[in-house]
C-alpha cells in the first residue's frame, strides 16, 4: 500500500502530512487529531481503511507537535484561527476540492469551528469522533465522572485545581487513573502507533486548552458551539464510547442540534474507539463514506 509523506510550508514553518492509499475517484478522508498537540500517530490504525475502501486517507500533524514545526517560543500561534488556516492551507496544497472530514476530540472541535464559522465547500460528510460542542458542558460532565474516583483521588484533583499545582504526585496519579479509565488504558498493550512516544505538543495543549482535560483554562475556554451546530448541513456521523470522556450526554447534545446526523455508541470503549474496536470502526467508516461520496 502506497504511503506518501511530505511537508507543507505554513506561516514560515512546516506542516507534516501522511497520505495512505492509491489515488482514486473517491473523495479522500482527512483526519484531524486531538490534543491540541496529540499528533497523527494513533490514526495509523485506520490505514487498512484505505486498502479496504480504495480511497486515500490523509492525516497530518498540526503546528506544535509531531513531525511538524513546534514553535513553542511563540505560544501565541496556538489558537483555533491558526489551526483552521493550516487546514485550509493543506486543502489548497493537496488540491482537496472534495473530501470527507473526521475530527477526534480536539480535532472534532476544530472540524466544528471550521464548518460553523468558515462554511467550507466540498465537504462530503463529517465524522465527529469523541468530541464536544461546549467546553462548559465538558467541564461539568468530567467533574461528574471524577466523583466516581476513590475519595483520596478526588481530593488530590480538587487540591490541584484550587492551588494550580498540577505537579503534585498525588494529583498526577489521580489524573493518570482517570485518563486510563476514560481516554485509553495505557497499562495495556496497543498497536505501535498508539504506544509510540509523541514529539512535543505540551505547550500547544496547555496554551489552548489547559493542564488537563477537565480544567479548560486556555484560549479555548470559551469554546461554545452547541447553538451553532444547526449551521452544519452535511451528513454527520457522531461516534463515542460508553466509557468515553465524551459522555453519552455530550454526544447526544451534538446529535440533537445537527440535522441528518447519526450517532454510534461503542460499548466498552473510551476516548479512542477506533483503536479499541478498530475492525468495527473501519467497517462503520467504510459504509458511511461509501454512502456519502456523492
Amino acid at each position: 500500500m502506497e504511503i506518501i509523506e511530505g511537508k507543507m510550508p505554513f506561516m514560515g514553518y512546516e506542516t507534516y502530512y501522511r497520505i495512505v492509499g492509491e489515488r482514486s475517484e473517491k473523495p479522500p478522508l482527512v483526519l484531524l487529531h486531538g490534543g491540541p498537540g496529540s499528533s497523527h500517530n494513533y490514526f495509523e490504525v485506520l490505514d487498512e481503511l484505505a486498502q479496504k475502501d480504495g480511497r486515500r486517507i490523509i492525516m497530518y500533524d498540526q503546528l506544535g507537535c509531531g513531525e511538524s514545526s513546534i514553535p513553542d517560543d511563540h505560544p501565541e500561534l496556538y489558537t483555533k484561527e491558526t489551526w483552521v488556516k493550516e487546514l485550509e492551507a493543506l486543502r489548497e496544497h493537496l488540491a482537496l476540492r472534495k473530501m470527507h472530514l473526521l475530527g477526534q476530540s480536539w480535532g472534532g472541535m476544530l472540524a466544528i469551528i471550521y464548518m460553523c464559522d468558515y462554511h467550507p465547500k466540498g465537504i462530503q460528510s463529517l465524522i465527529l469522533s469523541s468530541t464536544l460542542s461546549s467546553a462548559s458542558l465538558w467541564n461539568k460532565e468530567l467533574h461528574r465522572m471524577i466523583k466516581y474516583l476513590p475519595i483520596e483521588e478526588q481530593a488530590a484533583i480538587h487540591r490541584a485545581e484550587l492551588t494550580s499545582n498540577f505537579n503534585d504526585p498525588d494529583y498526577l496519579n489521580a489524573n493518570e487513573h482517570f485518563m486510563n479509565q476514560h481516554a485509553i488504558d495505557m497499562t495495556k498493550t496497543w498497536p505501535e502507533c498508539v504506544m509510540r512516544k509523541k514529539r512535543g505538543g505540551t505547550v500547544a495543549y496547555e496554551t489552548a486548552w489547559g493542564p488537563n482535560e477537565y480544567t479548560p483554562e486556555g484560549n479555548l475556554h470559551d469554546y461554545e458551539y452547541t447553538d451553532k451546530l444547526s449551521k452544519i448541513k452535511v451528513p454527520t456521523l457522531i461516534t463515542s464510547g460508553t466509557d468515553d470522556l465524551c459522555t453519552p450526554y455530550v454526544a447526544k447534545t451534538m446529535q440533537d442540534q445537527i440535522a441528518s446526523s447519526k450517532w454510534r455508541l461503542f460499548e466498552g470503549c473510551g476516548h479512542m474507539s477506533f483503536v479499541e474496536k478498530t475492525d468495527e470502526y473501519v467497517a462503520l467508516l467504510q459504509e458511511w463514506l461509501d454512502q456519502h461520496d456523492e
Side-chain angles (χ1 to χ4, degrees):
M1 183 166 55
E2 184 179 17
I3 297 178
I4 299 170
E5 297 178 282
K7 289 194 173 179
M8 168 191 78
F10 176 66
M11 293 179 64
Y13 300 100
E14 287 185 320
T15 296
Y16 164 89
Y17 59 86
R18 180 177 181 271
I19 304 173
V20 184
E22 311 297 327
R23 189 182 297 276
S24 77
E25 294 300 312
K26 292 185 174 184
L29 173 64
V30 175
L31 307 176
L32 306 178
H33 67 68
S38 278
S39 83
H40 81 278
N41 296 0
Y42 57 1
F43 278 146
E44 292 179 22
V45 301
L46 297 177
D47 282 3
E48 63 182 270
L49 175 64
Q51 193 163 18
K52 287 184 175 179
D53 199 35
R55 82 174 69 240
R56 283 188 153 176
I57 311 296
I58 300 169
M59 55 196 79
Y60 68 101
D61 290 336
Q62 296 159 23
L63 192 72
C65 68
E67 301 305 315
S68 293
S69 300
I70 305 178
D72 285 351
D73 52 341
H74 288 285
E76 71 277 4
L77 290 170
Y78 298 141
T79 65
K80 63 182 182 181
E81 290 81 10
T82 294
W83 286 309
V84 168
K85 284 180 186 174
E86 185 179 36
L87 173 56
E88 291 182 319
L90 185 79
R91 287 193 70 179
E92 185 172 349
H93 185 74
L94 298 178
L96 301 174
R97 189 176 62 84
K98 291 174 64 176
M99 58 184 249
H100 300 273
L101 186 63
L102 183 154
Q104 188 264 347
S105 194
W106 147 248
M109 296 167 63
L110 178 58
I112 288 171
I113 293 165
Y114 184 48
M115 298 300 294
C116 293
D117 291 350
Y118 294 81
H119 315 292
K121 291 182 168 54
I123 307 298
Q124 299 296 110
S125 79
L126 182 65
I127 301 99
L128 299 175
S129 175
S130 297
T131 189
L132 58 144
S133 60
S134 163
S136 60
L137 178 59
W138 188 260
N139 181 332
K140 181 180 175 182
E141 277 292 270
L142 267 57
H143 278 89
R144 178 182 62 80
M145 293 198 294
I146 286 169
K147 293 177 183 175
Y148 291 97
L149 291 172
I151 191 70
E152 62 274 12
E153 293 185 357
Q154 294 182 49
I157 288 172
H158 185 58
R159 279 196 308 273
E161 291 188 309
L162 284 176
T163 63
S164 295
N165 177 11
F166 296 101
N167 296 311
D168 179 77
D170 290 340
Y171 157 75
L172 293 171
N173 288 333
N175 185 62
E176 182 179 22
H177 183 204
F178 181 79
M179 294 299 284
N180 280 339
Q181 284 185 326
H182 299 293
I184 193 166
D185 188 349
M186 291 305 284
T187 66
K188 297 180 179 179
T189 300
W190 301 106
E192 181 277 332
C193 63
V194 180
M195 306 296 288
R196 188 186 307 155
K197 184 174 175 59
K198 294 196 288 277
R199 178 172 170 265
T202 301
V203 175
Y205 181 81
E206 292 180 351
T207 300
W209 187 249
N212 54 45
E213 280 300 300
Y214 39 83
T215 313
E217 299 175 338
N219 57 50
L220 290 167
H221 71 278
D222 58 353
Y223 168 84
E224 299 295 334
Y225 275 73
T226 301
D227 291 342
K228 293 184 178 183
L229 292 177
S230 59
K231 295 181 179 181
I232 297 176
K233 304 300 184 185
V234 302
T236 301
L237 173 65
I238 298 162
T239 68
S240 62
T242 54
D243 304 324
D244 205 333
L245 296 167
C246 171
T247 66
Y249 183 25
V250 171
K252 182 67 165 58
T253 296
M254 292 186 289
Q255 190 201 15
D256 285 348
Q257 299 298 321
I258 303 175
S260 69
S261 63
K262 292 177 64 176
W263 172 30
R264 174 71 170 273
L265 184 63
F266 284 82
E267 184 177 356
C269 288
H271 203 44
M272 303 176 198
S273 44
F274 53 86
V275 171
E276 296 183 82
K277 292 193 174 179
T278 303
D279 291 344
E280 191 177 330
Y281 205 96
V282 165
L284 173 66
L285 281 183
Q286 184 174 353
E287 180 183 10
W288 173 264
L289 297 172
D290 286 347
Q291 283 177 353
H292 298 100
D293 276 339
E294 296 301 331

